[in-house]
Each structure stands twice: as C-alpha cells, then as structure tokens.
Short mmCIF file of all heavy atoms in Angstrom, two decimals:
data_model
loop_
_atom_site.label_atom_id
_atom_site.label_comp_id
_atom_site.label_asym_id
_atom_site.label_seq_id
_atom_site.Cartn_x
_atom_site.Cartn_y
_atom_site.Cartn_z
N ARG A 1 23.98 -17.26 -11.34
CA ARG A 1 24.36 -15.97 -11.91
C ARG A 1 25.74 -15.48 -11.47
O ARG A 1 26.19 -15.83 -10.27
CB ARG A 1 23.33 -14.94 -11.54
CG ARG A 1 22.06 -15.19 -12.11
CD ARG A 1 20.95 -14.26 -11.74
NE ARG A 1 19.73 -14.63 -12.32
CZ ARG A 1 18.59 -14.20 -11.90
NH1 ARG A 1 18.51 -13.28 -10.87
NH2 ARG A 1 17.50 -14.53 -12.51
N HIS A 2 26.46 -14.75 -12.29
CA HIS A 2 27.75 -14.32 -11.87
C HIS A 2 27.67 -12.99 -10.94
O HIS A 2 28.44 -12.89 -10.04
CB HIS A 2 28.61 -13.97 -13.08
CG HIS A 2 29.93 -13.25 -12.89
ND1 HIS A 2 30.93 -13.87 -12.26
CD2 HIS A 2 30.24 -12.00 -13.24
CE1 HIS A 2 31.98 -13.04 -12.21
NE2 HIS A 2 31.50 -11.92 -12.74
N MET A 3 26.62 -12.11 -11.32
CA MET A 3 26.50 -10.92 -10.48
C MET A 3 25.22 -11.03 -9.74
O MET A 3 24.11 -11.34 -10.27
CB MET A 3 26.33 -9.82 -11.53
CG MET A 3 26.37 -8.42 -10.82
SD MET A 3 27.85 -8.01 -9.97
CE MET A 3 28.95 -7.58 -11.28
N LEU A 4 25.27 -10.79 -8.43
CA LEU A 4 24.03 -10.75 -7.61
C LEU A 4 23.67 -9.36 -7.35
O LEU A 4 24.43 -8.38 -7.15
CB LEU A 4 24.45 -11.46 -6.22
CG LEU A 4 24.97 -12.88 -6.35
CD1 LEU A 4 25.40 -13.31 -5.01
CD2 LEU A 4 23.95 -13.76 -7.02
N ARG A 5 22.26 -9.16 -7.44
CA ARG A 5 21.71 -7.82 -7.32
C ARG A 5 20.43 -7.79 -6.47
O ARG A 5 19.68 -8.61 -6.63
CB ARG A 5 21.45 -7.33 -8.78
CG ARG A 5 20.83 -6.01 -8.83
CD ARG A 5 20.56 -5.71 -10.28
NE ARG A 5 19.88 -4.46 -10.46
CZ ARG A 5 19.50 -3.89 -11.61
NH1 ARG A 5 19.98 -4.35 -12.74
NH2 ARG A 5 18.84 -2.75 -11.54
N VAL A 6 20.37 -6.72 -5.66
CA VAL A 6 19.11 -6.56 -4.89
C VAL A 6 18.83 -5.05 -4.79
O VAL A 6 19.66 -4.30 -4.79
CB VAL A 6 19.32 -7.16 -3.46
CG1 VAL A 6 20.36 -6.55 -2.68
CG2 VAL A 6 17.92 -7.13 -2.73
N GLU A 7 17.49 -4.73 -4.83
CA GLU A 7 17.08 -3.32 -4.94
C GLU A 7 16.23 -3.05 -3.67
O GLU A 7 15.54 -3.90 -3.19
CB GLU A 7 16.30 -3.04 -6.16
CG GLU A 7 15.78 -1.65 -6.31
CD GLU A 7 14.86 -1.36 -7.47
OE1 GLU A 7 14.75 -2.33 -8.23
OE2 GLU A 7 14.42 -0.37 -7.59
N CYS A 8 16.37 -1.84 -3.09
CA CYS A 8 15.52 -1.44 -1.97
C CYS A 8 14.25 -0.87 -2.50
O CYS A 8 14.30 0.06 -3.31
CB CYS A 8 16.23 -0.49 -1.12
SG CYS A 8 15.23 0.22 0.27
N SER A 9 13.10 -1.31 -2.06
CA SER A 9 11.81 -0.86 -2.48
C SER A 9 11.49 0.62 -1.82
O SER A 9 10.61 1.33 -2.25
CB SER A 9 10.66 -1.81 -2.03
OG SER A 9 10.91 -2.97 -2.74
N ARG A 10 12.22 0.83 -0.73
CA ARG A 10 11.98 2.07 0.00
C ARG A 10 12.79 3.23 -0.60
O ARG A 10 12.15 4.24 -0.82
CB ARG A 10 12.34 1.82 1.49
CG ARG A 10 11.97 2.92 2.41
CD ARG A 10 12.26 2.51 3.75
NE ARG A 10 11.79 3.51 4.75
CZ ARG A 10 12.06 3.43 6.01
NH1 ARG A 10 12.82 2.49 6.51
NH2 ARG A 10 11.54 4.32 6.75
N CYS A 11 14.07 3.09 -0.80
CA CYS A 11 14.87 4.19 -1.16
C CYS A 11 15.44 4.05 -2.57
O CYS A 11 16.15 4.82 -3.06
CB CYS A 11 16.04 4.36 -0.19
SG CYS A 11 17.19 3.06 -0.08
N SER A 12 15.08 2.83 -3.29
CA SER A 12 15.42 2.71 -4.73
C SER A 12 16.94 2.48 -4.86
O SER A 12 17.44 2.62 -5.97
CB SER A 12 14.92 3.73 -5.60
OG SER A 12 13.52 3.78 -5.46
N ARG A 13 17.71 2.19 -3.88
CA ARG A 13 19.08 1.90 -4.00
C ARG A 13 19.28 0.49 -4.53
O ARG A 13 18.46 -0.39 -4.22
CB ARG A 13 19.84 1.96 -2.68
CG ARG A 13 20.33 3.34 -2.36
CD ARG A 13 21.13 3.35 -0.99
NE ARG A 13 20.80 2.46 -0.04
CZ ARG A 13 21.48 1.33 0.21
NH1 ARG A 13 22.58 1.01 -0.36
NH2 ARG A 13 21.04 0.53 1.14
N ILE A 14 20.25 0.32 -5.29
CA ILE A 14 20.62 -1.08 -5.89
C ILE A 14 22.02 -1.40 -5.34
O ILE A 14 22.97 -0.66 -5.54
CB ILE A 14 20.52 -1.04 -7.39
CG1 ILE A 14 19.15 -0.66 -7.90
CG2 ILE A 14 21.07 -2.32 -7.92
CD1 ILE A 14 19.08 -0.51 -9.36
N VAL A 15 22.14 -2.71 -4.88
CA VAL A 15 23.50 -3.11 -4.43
C VAL A 15 23.82 -4.36 -5.29
O VAL A 15 22.94 -5.24 -5.41
CB VAL A 15 23.41 -3.55 -2.95
CG1 VAL A 15 24.74 -4.05 -2.50
CG2 VAL A 15 23.11 -2.34 -2.04
N GLU A 16 24.97 -4.30 -5.94
CA GLU A 16 25.43 -5.43 -6.73
C GLU A 16 26.62 -5.95 -6.18
O GLU A 16 27.48 -5.22 -5.62
CB GLU A 16 25.67 -5.02 -8.20
CG GLU A 16 24.48 -4.66 -8.96
CD GLU A 16 24.74 -4.40 -10.40
OE1 GLU A 16 25.89 -4.06 -10.71
OE2 GLU A 16 23.83 -4.49 -11.19
N MET A 17 26.90 -7.33 -6.28
CA MET A 17 28.07 -7.94 -5.76
C MET A 17 28.38 -9.14 -6.61
O MET A 17 27.36 -9.87 -6.97
CB MET A 17 27.87 -8.30 -4.35
CG MET A 17 29.07 -8.93 -3.64
SD MET A 17 28.74 -9.27 -1.91
CE MET A 17 30.06 -8.48 -1.09
N GLN A 18 29.57 -9.40 -6.87
CA GLN A 18 29.91 -10.56 -7.61
C GLN A 18 29.71 -11.79 -6.74
O GLN A 18 29.89 -11.73 -5.55
CB GLN A 18 31.32 -10.62 -8.11
CG GLN A 18 31.64 -9.56 -9.26
CD GLN A 18 33.03 -9.68 -9.72
OE1 GLN A 18 33.85 -10.54 -9.27
NE2 GLN A 18 33.39 -8.78 -10.61
N LYS A 19 29.30 -12.89 -7.31
CA LYS A 19 29.00 -14.11 -6.63
C LYS A 19 30.27 -14.67 -5.84
O LYS A 19 30.22 -15.01 -4.69
CB LYS A 19 28.51 -15.19 -7.49
CG LYS A 19 28.26 -16.56 -6.82
CD LYS A 19 27.74 -17.55 -7.84
CE LYS A 19 27.91 -18.93 -7.29
NZ LYS A 19 27.52 -20.00 -8.32
N ALA A 20 31.42 -14.57 -6.51
CA ALA A 20 32.67 -15.06 -5.94
C ALA A 20 33.07 -14.19 -4.69
O ALA A 20 33.51 -14.77 -3.70
CB ALA A 20 33.75 -15.06 -6.95
N GLU A 21 32.81 -12.94 -4.80
CA GLU A 21 33.07 -11.98 -3.70
C GLU A 21 32.18 -12.25 -2.48
O GLU A 21 32.55 -12.33 -1.39
CB GLU A 21 33.06 -10.57 -4.14
CG GLU A 21 33.50 -9.55 -3.17
CD GLU A 21 33.52 -8.17 -3.74
OE1 GLU A 21 32.90 -7.97 -4.85
OE2 GLU A 21 34.04 -7.29 -3.10
N ALA A 22 30.91 -12.52 -2.81
CA ALA A 22 29.89 -12.80 -1.76
C ALA A 22 30.32 -14.12 -1.02
O ALA A 22 30.17 -14.22 0.15
CB ALA A 22 28.55 -12.94 -2.37
N ILE A 23 30.67 -15.14 -1.79
CA ILE A 23 31.06 -16.39 -1.19
C ILE A 23 32.33 -16.25 -0.30
O ILE A 23 32.36 -16.79 0.76
CB ILE A 23 31.29 -17.40 -2.26
CG1 ILE A 23 29.94 -17.89 -2.86
CG2 ILE A 23 31.99 -18.69 -1.77
CD1 ILE A 23 30.02 -18.86 -4.06
N ARG A 24 33.22 -15.38 -0.74
CA ARG A 24 34.37 -15.16 0.00
C ARG A 24 34.04 -14.43 1.33
O ARG A 24 34.62 -14.79 2.33
CB ARG A 24 35.46 -14.27 -0.75
CG ARG A 24 36.75 -14.19 -0.11
CD ARG A 24 37.77 -13.43 -0.90
NE ARG A 24 37.15 -12.18 -1.49
CZ ARG A 24 37.46 -11.90 -2.81
NH1 ARG A 24 38.18 -12.62 -3.62
NH2 ARG A 24 36.89 -10.72 -3.24
N TYR A 25 33.16 -13.46 1.37
CA TYR A 25 32.86 -12.83 2.59
C TYR A 25 31.85 -13.50 3.49
O TYR A 25 31.97 -13.52 4.71
CB TYR A 25 32.20 -11.42 2.28
CG TYR A 25 33.20 -10.36 1.67
CD1 TYR A 25 32.86 -9.65 0.55
CD2 TYR A 25 34.37 -10.17 2.23
CE1 TYR A 25 33.74 -8.76 0.00
CE2 TYR A 25 35.30 -9.21 1.67
CZ TYR A 25 35.01 -8.58 0.59
OH TYR A 25 35.83 -7.69 0.08
N PHE A 26 30.83 -14.18 2.93
CA PHE A 26 29.72 -14.76 3.70
C PHE A 26 29.75 -16.19 3.75
O PHE A 26 29.05 -16.85 4.51
CB PHE A 26 28.38 -14.28 3.17
CG PHE A 26 28.32 -12.72 3.26
CD1 PHE A 26 28.45 -11.91 2.10
CD2 PHE A 26 28.09 -12.07 4.39
CE1 PHE A 26 28.31 -10.61 2.19
CE2 PHE A 26 27.93 -10.67 4.47
CZ PHE A 26 28.11 -9.94 3.33
N GLY A 27 30.47 -16.93 2.83
CA GLY A 27 30.49 -18.45 2.87
C GLY A 27 29.56 -18.87 1.74
O GLY A 27 28.61 -18.38 1.40
N ALA A 28 29.82 -20.18 1.24
CA ALA A 28 29.10 -20.70 0.20
C ALA A 28 27.62 -21.12 0.67
O ALA A 28 26.77 -21.25 -0.13
CB ALA A 28 29.78 -21.87 -0.44
N ASP A 29 27.53 -21.48 2.02
CA ASP A 29 26.26 -21.89 2.46
C ASP A 29 25.34 -20.74 2.96
O ASP A 29 24.20 -21.05 3.37
CB ASP A 29 26.50 -22.86 3.64
CG ASP A 29 27.12 -24.14 3.26
OD1 ASP A 29 26.90 -24.52 2.11
OD2 ASP A 29 27.87 -24.73 4.07
N ALA A 30 25.71 -19.52 2.84
CA ALA A 30 24.90 -18.43 3.21
C ALA A 30 23.69 -18.30 2.23
O ALA A 30 23.82 -18.53 1.05
CB ALA A 30 25.76 -17.09 3.23
N ILE A 31 22.56 -17.90 2.81
CA ILE A 31 21.39 -17.75 1.99
C ILE A 31 21.35 -16.36 1.45
O ILE A 31 21.66 -15.30 2.06
CB ILE A 31 20.12 -17.89 2.91
CG1 ILE A 31 20.17 -19.27 3.56
CG2 ILE A 31 18.83 -17.77 2.07
CD1 ILE A 31 20.07 -20.50 2.66
N TRP A 32 21.02 -16.15 0.14
CA TRP A 32 21.10 -14.88 -0.63
C TRP A 32 20.16 -13.90 0.10
O TRP A 32 20.47 -12.69 0.19
CB TRP A 32 20.78 -14.99 -2.03
CG TRP A 32 20.64 -13.85 -2.80
CD1 TRP A 32 19.67 -13.49 -3.64
CD2 TRP A 32 21.57 -12.67 -2.85
NE1 TRP A 32 19.88 -12.26 -4.10
CE2 TRP A 32 21.06 -11.72 -3.66
CE3 TRP A 32 22.77 -12.41 -2.24
CZ2 TRP A 32 21.63 -10.52 -3.96
CZ3 TRP A 32 23.36 -11.17 -2.39
CH2 TRP A 32 22.85 -10.26 -3.38
N LYS A 33 19.09 -14.25 0.66
CA LYS A 33 18.10 -13.31 1.34
C LYS A 33 18.80 -12.64 2.49
O LYS A 33 18.73 -11.39 2.63
CB LYS A 33 16.91 -14.11 1.81
CG LYS A 33 15.98 -13.30 2.52
CD LYS A 33 14.81 -14.09 3.02
CE LYS A 33 13.79 -13.31 3.72
NZ LYS A 33 12.59 -14.06 4.27
N HIS A 34 19.58 -13.42 3.28
CA HIS A 34 20.23 -12.83 4.47
C HIS A 34 21.39 -11.95 4.00
O HIS A 34 21.63 -10.89 4.62
CB HIS A 34 20.73 -13.85 5.32
CG HIS A 34 19.63 -14.87 5.85
ND1 HIS A 34 19.77 -15.67 6.93
CD2 HIS A 34 18.31 -14.93 5.41
CE1 HIS A 34 18.56 -16.27 7.13
NE2 HIS A 34 17.79 -15.89 6.24
N VAL A 35 22.16 -12.41 2.99
CA VAL A 35 23.30 -11.68 2.54
C VAL A 35 22.79 -10.26 1.90
O VAL A 35 23.32 -9.27 2.21
CB VAL A 35 24.04 -12.48 1.46
CG1 VAL A 35 25.11 -11.60 0.82
CG2 VAL A 35 24.69 -13.72 2.10
N GLY A 36 21.75 -10.35 1.06
CA GLY A 36 21.26 -9.12 0.37
C GLY A 36 20.69 -8.18 1.39
O GLY A 36 20.87 -6.94 1.40
N GLN A 37 19.93 -8.66 2.43
CA GLN A 37 19.50 -7.86 3.55
C GLN A 37 20.54 -7.05 4.30
O GLN A 37 20.49 -5.94 4.58
CB GLN A 37 18.56 -8.62 4.56
CG GLN A 37 17.88 -7.70 5.61
CD GLN A 37 16.95 -6.74 5.07
OE1 GLN A 37 15.99 -7.26 4.33
NE2 GLN A 37 17.01 -5.51 5.32
N ARG A 38 21.68 -7.98 4.55
CA ARG A 38 22.73 -7.31 5.28
C ARG A 38 23.41 -6.27 4.50
O ARG A 38 23.85 -5.23 5.06
CB ARG A 38 23.74 -8.41 5.68
CG ARG A 38 24.73 -8.00 6.52
CD ARG A 38 25.53 -9.31 7.03
NE ARG A 38 26.69 -8.90 7.84
CZ ARG A 38 27.65 -9.64 8.29
NH1 ARG A 38 27.47 -11.01 8.16
NH2 ARG A 38 28.68 -9.26 9.00
N LEU A 39 23.65 -6.47 3.17
CA LEU A 39 24.29 -5.51 2.28
C LEU A 39 23.44 -4.22 2.32
O LEU A 39 24.07 -3.15 2.29
CB LEU A 39 24.46 -6.05 0.88
CG LEU A 39 25.51 -7.25 0.80
CD1 LEU A 39 25.44 -7.79 -0.68
CD2 LEU A 39 26.79 -6.66 1.10
N LEU A 40 22.17 -4.32 2.21
CA LEU A 40 21.25 -3.19 2.15
C LEU A 40 21.37 -2.36 3.56
O LEU A 40 21.44 -1.18 3.58
CB LEU A 40 19.92 -3.56 1.80
CG LEU A 40 19.58 -3.84 0.31
CD1 LEU A 40 18.24 -4.31 0.12
CD2 LEU A 40 19.90 -2.65 -0.45
N ASP A 41 21.30 -3.14 4.66
CA ASP A 41 21.21 -2.61 5.89
C ASP A 41 22.49 -1.81 6.28
O ASP A 41 22.50 -0.80 7.02
CB ASP A 41 20.94 -3.59 6.99
CG ASP A 41 19.49 -4.03 6.99
OD1 ASP A 41 18.66 -3.32 6.36
OD2 ASP A 41 19.18 -5.08 7.53
N GLN A 42 23.66 -2.32 5.82
CA GLN A 42 24.92 -1.68 6.08
C GLN A 42 25.04 -0.24 5.57
O GLN A 42 25.82 0.52 6.10
CB GLN A 42 26.08 -2.52 5.67
CG GLN A 42 26.29 -3.80 6.44
CD GLN A 42 27.32 -4.69 5.83
OE1 GLN A 42 27.81 -4.39 4.63
NE2 GLN A 42 27.76 -5.66 6.49
N THR A 43 24.36 0.04 4.50
CA THR A 43 24.44 1.33 3.83
C THR A 43 23.11 2.00 3.74
O THR A 43 22.93 2.89 2.89
CB THR A 43 25.00 1.23 2.44
OG1 THR A 43 24.14 0.34 1.72
CG2 THR A 43 26.44 0.65 2.41
N CYS A 44 22.14 1.73 4.59
CA CYS A 44 20.86 2.32 4.58
C CYS A 44 20.91 3.78 4.92
O CYS A 44 21.60 4.22 5.87
CB CYS A 44 19.92 1.54 5.54
SG CYS A 44 18.23 2.30 5.50
#
C-alpha cells in the first residue's frame, strides 16, 4: 500500500502516513506494528 493507516480503539484517532515517508523515518526493515504504535503514542 502507498498510504499506511492505523486507528486507536480507545480515542478513535486515525494516523496516516505515506509508506515512503515511514521508510525514510524508521527504515525499510521496521515492522509496521512498532511504527504504528509509536506514531499513536507520540500524540496520545
């Protein structure tokens, strides 16, 4: 997918990020679960 998206079950926030941008910030070998959790936690 070109656009990565994760939603919080608790506060119903949605965080979207382009795949290319995520690779640039976190690296190509990063697991999407860890990246998504980190994105949600930074703005909780």
Side-chain angles (χ1 to χ4, degrees):
R1 298 180 180 162
H2 173 67
M3 185 66 76
L4 303 174
R5 178 179 171 175
V6 63
E7 178 183 359
C8 175
S9 297
R10 188 175 187 188
C11 63
S12 300
R13 272 184 329 106
I14 297 173
V15 177
E16 288 185 340
M17 183 178 232
Q18 289 184 3
K19 178 183 163 184
E21 191 175 10
I23 289 175
R24 185 174 48 223
Y25 290 133
F26 301 102
D29 292 331
I31 305 296
W32 173 229
K33 177 181 180 179
H34 301 196
V35 172
Q37 183 69 53
R38 188 168 174 187
L39 290 172
L40 285 174
D41 286 345
Q42 287 176 349
T43 56
C44 181

